[in-house]
Amino acid sequence: MASKNNYYVTTPIYYVNSKPHLGTLYSTLLADVASRFAQLMGKQTFFMTGTDEHGQKIQERAQELGMPPKEFVDSMISPFKDIWKLFDLNYNKFMRTTDEYHQKAVQAWIKQLMEQGDIYKSTYDGSYCVPCESFMTVTSDSPRNESGKAVCALHPNRILEEVSEESYFFRLSSYEKLLLEFYEKNPKFIMPRERMAEVVSFVKSGLKDLSISRKNLTWGVPFPGDPEHVVYVWGDALNNYITGIGYGQSDEESMKNFNQWWPADLHVMAKDIVRFHAIYWPAFLMASGLELPKRLLVHGYILMGDQKMSKSLGNAVDPTTLAEWYGVEPVRYYLMRQMAVTHDGIFSLKDLEDRITADLANNLGNLLNRTLSLALGNKLEKVKAPVAWEPAASHLREQAEETYRSYWDAMNDNMYHVALGHVWTFIGQVNAYFHAQKPWVLAKENGELFQEVIAAACQSLEIIGIMLSPFMPSKMSELLSCLGKRLESEYNYDEILRTNSWNGQFELKKLSEPLFIRPESRVEKSDQPELKKEKNRASMHVLSKKEASDSSGEITINDFVKCHLTVGSIRACEPVKGSNKMLKLTVDVGEESGDRTILSGVAQHFNPDDLIGKQGVYVTNLAPRKMMGEVSQGMMLFAEDDEGKLKLVTVGGQVKPGTRLR
Ligand code: MSP
């Protein structure tokens, strides 16, 4: 059993049919931040990523290129490793499913399950989505292409293949009850928690046994005892999480390693593969008699316009270009701050540039700059805490303490965008303190108080640097070094930040160049076609005739739970500049999601002031849309009366913002 002081985090292992892009970078970055935060909290960490190299999709891609599959997969490894290195993704192991130890361990696993009766032979008749490498059930509700052929929702350009072949099956159906019990006992198994409902309802609707082998395919792990079959690629791939840390190997070191790290603390992935991780993987582990992972972090997609960014859709943004233009760590910051883990997020160059200018260069960069230049300009190099802090500084110290508590809660729930929001609120408070104290006047009039203000700014900057270090490790180490500090790997910063003793000493050093600079705008100039299109993409969604007629049909409960209807309180409301229809609302939709900006075309029905403080109902999992230069992160519900006047949809009494309708 892994000790509490160990933390094991994984990313999905990526298919190598295409190079990494901003979407795959996002998942890997989330895992990196989780690992670095665990280290900050004094834990030993193991961070594993890698590649999924078998299956029909890879075999087809290698054929297209006229290469033997192994040669092809080998050629795809450096593009992954290079980008992960460029973005300082500090993984401990890069695992590959073509590695021999993995293949042997998968075969041993299949043998064990066959012997205990969890795998049996039968025939599979059904459909298969090659890009998803997934068996699909086609119903009258399934999406279809223009010629009426069934397609999968994620890959509308590729029709589902009909498969009729002998296959080995895993008895997934017999794990239904155990899975439901497990979800019930572990409400935080899937984060954000809203995603749990979809999984539970899928399991409750009945699980069929899972085909675990493919017959007419050669590129896979040979099925033990039956040379005509290979192991189904997901049966092979999911096991990477245990084989990569030693499972299935008999040498002492591998066994020790496995016992040290398993069960995993966190598997990171996007919502496309939650079913594999939340249902199949736990069932496989139960069958193997192993403990289950502690948490799945299921994030949304990075979208270009309203489409998922992916190489196969040809709309992927190259992370290397962004790193060249803006620097690695500002891009890391943007991805973690702007993209809410809970939702799909639209990638936009303009938002990226705005974040760097406002948050990094202005709010944080200038605070550091002003503190250092004012102190050093007045020959104050060694800064000490005063014997007792004045009330204004004591208040700032309390704010620091509150910030750390909220940051810690959000980081532990993997709500990184929320945690960063708390840090920036604090940066605003430090800036406000600095302005109010006017240290440039105090420097001439009251040396003692001047020293205190600089000391309070240094204390605050140190805490900020520590909290931001999982997100921007090099920039924060530069920031800390200007204060004469550095992160010590053996410290438990949880204790330090919680104690918040504010009795540090600082030795200030000049910055050789500003920590962050306002970037030159590339929005107009971009010659990457995907980045160029950005300006024309955003528009309001108007239902097409087909969508409108589809929406009058019956839906199942599974369809209903997909729609998140949430109660929210309007905290601010103002007209949108340049529009006589649109209002911009700031809505509190609960702690987990924080404040949302929601645009609504109701300016002719409501006065902004009349809406402030009201509770309403919002669709909170709509993909964000850009309108009038603003991103709307949800939709507010109204009902229209006989005279065409809109009424706010409300609940029958006050409830906590964030309450989901059911
Ligand atoms: N090989 C499987 C995973 C096996 S894990 C045992 C697979 N590979 S994949 O290359 O298709 O990667 C899917 C994952 O890549 C998503 O779950 C997500 O983590 C990441 N993303 C791919 N495109 C993305 C976006 N546009 N946005 C966010 N994440 C993206 O599925």
Side-chain angles (χ1 to χ4, degrees):
M1 163 101 173
S3 110
K4 276 201 168 148
N5 206 36
N6 289 339
Y7 190 85
Y8 172 34
V9 53
T10 67
T11 71
I13 46 170
Y14 302 106
Y15 289 128
V16 289
N17 55 321
S18 56
K19 286 203 271 181
H21 56 75
L22 212 59
T24 39
L25 170 65
Y26 179 65
S27 302
T28 319
L29 184 53
L30 283 167
D32 185 63
V33 168
S35 164
R36 289 178 189 269
F37 175 68
Q39 282 165 20
L40 203 61
M41 298 294 102
K43 295 192 178 179
Q44 267 197 68
T45 61
F46 195 80
F47 166 16
M48 191 166 82
T49 187
T51 41
D52 191 354
E53 304 181 9
H54 289 127
Q56 189 169 345
K57 175 151 82 169
I58 308 291
Q59 182 171 303
E60 283 179 4
R61 183 76 187 126
Q63 260 160 12
E64 271 166 37
L65 297 171
M67 286 168 93
K70 182 65 168 72
E71 199 179 298
F72 166 64
V73 297
D74 285 348
S75 74
M76 291 301 289
I77 301 307
S78 357
F80 279 90
K81 289 192 172 168
D82 291 349
I83 291 199
W84 296 171
K85 187 161 179 225
L86 174 66
F87 278 85
D88 205 4
L89 302 166
N90 213 0
Y91 59 83
N92 299 88
K93 173 155 180 166
F94 189 100
M95 89 85 56
R96 301 182 53 183
T97 53
T98 49
D99 286 342
E100 202 185 325
Y101 71 85
H102 168 77
Q103 306 203 46
K104 284 197 172 143
V106 169
Q107 288 175 322
W109 173 74
I110 295 271
K111 269 195 205 149
Q112 183 200 331
L113 265 56
M114 292 210 33
E115 278 162 20
Q116 67 194 40
D118 266 307
I119 290 180
Y120 63 94
K121 198 172 183 178
S122 182
T123 310
Y124 178 78
D125 268 308
S127 304
Y128 193 78
C129 173
V130 178
C132 290
E133 295 284 11
S134 178
F135 297 96
M136 301 262 170
T137 309
V138 177
T139 65
S140 53
D141 288 342
S142 301
R144 306 209 166 238
N145 68 5
E146 281 160 5
S147 13
K149 296 254 190 289
V151 292
C152 106
L154 280 181
H155 302 99
N157 298 331
R158 172 130 184 193
I159 55 172
L160 296 180
E161 282 186 10
E162 297 298 316
V163 178
S164 177
E165 62 188 26
E166 183 189 75
S167 177
Y168 288 88
F169 284 82
F170 170 69
R171 284 190 204 282
L172 184 63
S173 55
S174 55
Y175 289 91
E176 212 173 287
K177 196 161 156 265
L178 286 173
L179 285 168
L180 291 171
E181 277 168 17
F182 173 74
Y183 304 141
E184 173 104 37
K185 280 198 204 125
N186 297 279
K188 282 196 171 188
F189 174 56
I190 302 177
M191 291 300 275
R193 278 188 251 187
E194 290 95 356
R195 300 222 188 262
M196 180 72 111
E198 292 163 33
V199 169
V200 170
S201 95
F202 187 87
V203 176
K204 278 191 176 157
S205 69
L207 293 178
K208 288 199 194 123
D209 288 349
L210 177 74
S211 172
I212 194 87
S213 76
R214 298 295 314 272
K215 195 171 178 188
N216 298 314
L217 190 74
T218 47
W219 185 235
V221 177
F223 203 87
D226 195 338
E228 287 193 313
H229 289 249
V230 292
V231 178
Y232 168 46
V233 63
W234 276 97
D236 159 5
L238 286 163
N239 276 297
N240 94 86
Y241 299 131
I242 50 178
T243 62
I245 50 167
Y247 181 77
Q249 293 138 72
S250 49
D251 61 290
E252 211 169 296
E253 200 180 329
S254 301
M255 290 199 279
K256 195 170 138 239
N257 216 27
F258 178 71
N259 289 330
Q260 180 178 0
W261 299 111
W262 193 255
D265 293 270
L266 189 68
H267 291 320
V268 178
M269 78 214 63
K271 59 189 182 182
D272 53 344
I273 54 176
V274 63
R275 182 157 43 101
F276 298 93
H277 285 81
I279 302 173
Y280 305 165
W281 180 226
F284 289 172
L285 289 165
M286 285 172 179
S288 318
L290 293 176
E291 279 187 77
L292 269 48
K294 293 182 198 148
R295 183 176 290 180
L296 310 182
L297 173 59
V298 183
H299 60 80
Y301 294 144
I302 298 191
L303 307 173
M304 279 303 273
D306 47 16
Q307 269 193 319
K308 180 188 175 199
M309 184 182 292
S310 85
K311 275 276 169 183
S312 57
L313 292 172
N315 65 358
V317 170
D318 178 9
T320 318
T321 311
L322 295 182
E324 265 166 33
W325 288 353
Y326 304 107
V328 163
E329 297 205 349
V331 176
R332 283 178 62 118
Y333 169 68
Y334 163 78
L335 288 173
M336 292 294 98
R337 174 79 198 265
Q338 185 86 12
M339 307 289 161
V341 190
T342 37
H343 289 83
D344 292 348
I346 298 176
F347 171 78
S348 142
L349 273 190
K350 166 106 179 40
D351 291 343
L352 168 56
E353 289 174 1
D354 288 351
R355 281 279 175 209
I356 300 176
T357 304
D359 297 0
L360 298 181
N362 293 351
N363 294 342
L364 176 57
N366 277 347
L367 174 64
L368 177 69
N369 231 357
R370 266 182 287 138
T371 307
L372 291 176
S373 42
L374 205 56
L376 296 172
N378 286 287
K379 311 240 163 339
L380 181 60
E381 277 160 29
K382 295 201 170 155
V383 180
K384 274 201 315 228
V387 181
W389 294 95
E390 290 288 316
S394 297
H395 181 55
L396 189 63
R397 178 176 167 182
E398 280 159 23
Q399 288 173 322
E401 212 165 304
E402 278 162 30
T403 304
Y404 177 65
R405 271 191 250 120
S406 318
Y407 162 92
W408 189 91
D409 285 344
M411 293 297 283
N412 274 288
D413 280 347
N414 311 99
M415 295 297 119
Y416 303 119
H417 61 295
V418 176
L420 287 169
H422 292 306
V423 177
W424 256 266
T425 303
F426 180 57
I427 293 173
Q429 290 162 342
V430 186
N431 273 318
Y433 163 83
F434 205 83
H435 277 290
Q437 297 301 310
K438 299 195 174 65
W440 50 94
V441 177
L442 293 176
K444 292 179 206 117
E445 294 175 0
N446 185 340
E448 211 174 308
L449 206 49
F450 171 68
Q451 291 210 24
E452 171 168 335
V453 174
I454 298 295
C458 290
Q459 290 288 166
S460 305
L461 280 163
E462 183 186 14
I463 297 165
I464 292 166
I466 297 169
M467 288 192 290
L468 294 182
S469 64
F471 301 91
M472 295 181 283
S474 308
K475 290 288 180 190
M476 291 309 111
S477 115
E478 259 179 74
L479 178 149
L480 290 170
S481 100
C482 291
L483 304 174
K485 302 277 173 186
R486 62 178 183 166
L487 279 183
E488 305 289 348
S489 56
E490 66 277 11
Y491 284 9
N492 176 344
Y493 281 95
D494 187 38
E495 263 167 43
I496 296 172
L497 294 180
R498 230 167 255 284
T499 317
N500 194 33
S501 50
W502 273 41
N503 57 5
Q505 300 203 8
F506 302 90
E507 248 187 273
L508 305 188
K509 282 184 219 99
K510 229 174 134 186
L511 272 168
S512 47
E513 52 185 55
L515 198 57
F516 299 104
I517 45 166
R518 186 196 169 115
E520 175 199 344
S521 179
R522 307 277 184 161
V523 175
E524 303 286 344
K525 293 182 202 151
S526 162
D527 58 0
Q528 199 175 329
E530 266 325 304
L531 298 177
K532 226 174 185 173
K533 278 191 236 150
E534 177 186 327
K535 285 183 66 203
N536 311 323
R537 206 174 274 119
S539 64
M540 273 187 72
H541 183 66
V542 180
L543 280 187
S544 67
K545 275 201 183 138
K546 177 160 186 321
E547 282 171 314
S549 65
D550 285 354
S551 62
S552 62
E554 280 181 359
I555 59 164
T556 65
I557 187 76
N558 288 353
D559 294 322
F560 175 71
V561 294
K562 282 188 199 149
C563 180
H564 296 181
L565 296 173
T566 311
V567 177
S569 298
I570 302 173
R571 286 157 53 104
C573 179
E574 56 182 349
V576 172
K577 272 192 213 126
S579 164
N580 54 6
K581 286 203 184 133
M582 207 70 89
L583 290 181
K584 176 177 165 186
L585 304 142
T586 305
V587 184
D588 175 2
V589 282
E591 273 174 14
E592 214 157 279
S593 303
D595 283 354
R596 293 278 184 89
T597 298
I598 293 183
L599 300 182
S600 190
V602 295
Q604 281 152 0
H605 297 265
F606 298 96
N607 261 330
D609 286 349
D610 295 343
L611 287 176
I612 296 172
K614 295 255 162 65
Q615 282 204 324
V617 176
Y618 301 84
V619 183
T620 47
N621 63 337
L622 272 182
R625 294 195 75 80
K626 206 166 176 187
M627 299 184 261
M628 306 296 297
E630 300 273 356
V631 176
S632 180
Q633 302 163 303
M635 187 171 88
M636 191 170 182
L637 299 188
F638 298 94
E640 195 173 336
D641 71 10
D642 289 346
E643 289 158 16
K645 285 199 187 119
L646 293 186
K647 308 276 170 193
L648 203 66
V649 174
T650 53
V651 285
Q654 284 283 317
V655 296
K656 249 169 94 183
T659 306
R660 277 277 296 277
L661 260 58
R662 37 193 195 125

